[in-house]
Amino acid sequence: MFIVDDDDAVLDSIAELVMSVGLRAATFRSAREFRDIFNPEQPGCLVLDVRMAHTSGPALQDELNTIGARIPIVFISGHGDIAVAIKTIKAGAVDFVQKPYHEQQLLDSINEALRRDAEARQVTGNGEGFAERLAALTEREREVLEQVVQGLSSKSIARVLDISYRTVELHRGHIMEKLRVRSVAELIRLVIEQRNA
């Protein structure tokens, strides 16, 4: 697992906590340090501070989502910012834990993040079987998928394909279900990987 926090005391404290229950942890004092070594194929989870110099935790989350990285994130924050908490959870974060954190609460969130990571990797199998699932899509679903991969919104896809917004949303739901993906970012990543294979 990975811990990113620009406060050395907090960084060391969380690292000691997770190592005390047998987990391995790599620590980073900035988002840039983490990005430099990050490999999306490496299993684990990320414990991420909200407010840091240069790149904030939510900004790093946005970057990871943009590249289709599916690493589960547990945010920690010394500020009770409800708006930020809601935004990060909607963007896929597992939990938003306030400092000073209760050790068991943080460990529970980390364990949940690790469980989700393992489950997601098992479901997608790192792309194994994805070609077969793609082949199961209908012609219209393939057309919608192509527009999604190009980054178009449902409204734009509806205009391009001359169908209703609701129909596009239904097709998108079927695509996500058939391909067994949890986010558009993961969908795009797997499609690109499949094309480059």
Side-chain angles (χ1 to χ4, degrees):
M1 64 166 293
F2 310 94
I3 308 164
V4 182
D5 197 309
D6 58 2
D7 182 325
D8 287 349
V10 174
L11 198 63
D12 294 342
S13 169
I14 297 173
E16 283 178 24
L17 174 64
V18 299
M19 287 190 286
S20 74
V21 295
L23 296 172
R24 287 186 303 165
T27 58
F28 305 89
R29 283 163 177 74
S30 70
R32 174 182 278 180
E33 267 185 41
F34 171 74
R35 277 197 315 265
D36 287 346
I37 65 90
F38 178 63
N39 172 5
E41 297 310 315
Q42 189 172 356
C45 73
L46 174 60
V47 175
L48 182 58
D49 189 23
V50 170
R51 295 191 185 185
M52 297 183 292
H54 307 299
T55 305
S56 71
L60 176 58
Q61 181 188 36
D62 290 343
E63 287 179 29
L64 293 172
N65 283 341
T66 299
I67 64 169
R70 60 183 173 213
I71 185 168
I73 300 173
V74 174
F75 276 98
I76 51 170
S77 174
H79 309 274
D81 193 333
I82 301 299
V84 173
I86 292 170
K87 178 182 180 292
T88 59
I89 296 293
K90 280 186 175 178
V94 173
D95 202 356
F96 191 96
V97 179
Q98 284 192 284
K99 301 175 192 172
Y101 55 84
H102 295 292
E103 291 186 350
Q104 192 56 54
Q105 181 194 0
L106 183 57
L107 285 173
D108 287 347
S109 297
I110 289 168
N111 284 326
E112 171 64 14
L114 291 170
R115 185 195 65 75
R116 287 192 196 180
D117 183 62
E119 189 178 87
R121 288 176 188 281
Q122 186 176 8
V123 167
T124 59
N126 288 330
E128 290 173 17
F130 190 70
E132 290 79 5
R133 296 197 294 273
L134 269 176
L137 296 181
T138 66
E139 188 60 39
R140 180 60 92 182
E141 285 167 352
R142 284 195 196 95
E143 290 174 351
V144 171
L145 174 62
E146 189 54 44
Q147 304 302 320
V148 170
V149 170
Q150 290 179 28
L152 270 65
S153 67
S154 290
K155 284 184 180 176
S156 299
I157 294 171
R159 281 196 299 273
V160 169
L161 299 180
D162 195 26
I163 54 179
S164 74
Y165 170 82
R166 179 164 167 65
T167 301
V168 172
E169 286 290 287
L170 283 171
H171 284 311
R172 283 180 69 144
H174 292 152
I175 291 166
M176 302 284 278
E177 192 176 312
K178 286 182 179 180
L179 298 182
R180 299 183 207 156
V181 293
R182 298 180 305 164
S183 69
V184 172
E186 183 181 2
L187 171 66
I188 292 170
R189 179 182 65 78
L190 285 169
V191 169
I192 290 169
E193 280 179 6
Q194 182 66 36
R195 290 177 180 176
N196 292 338

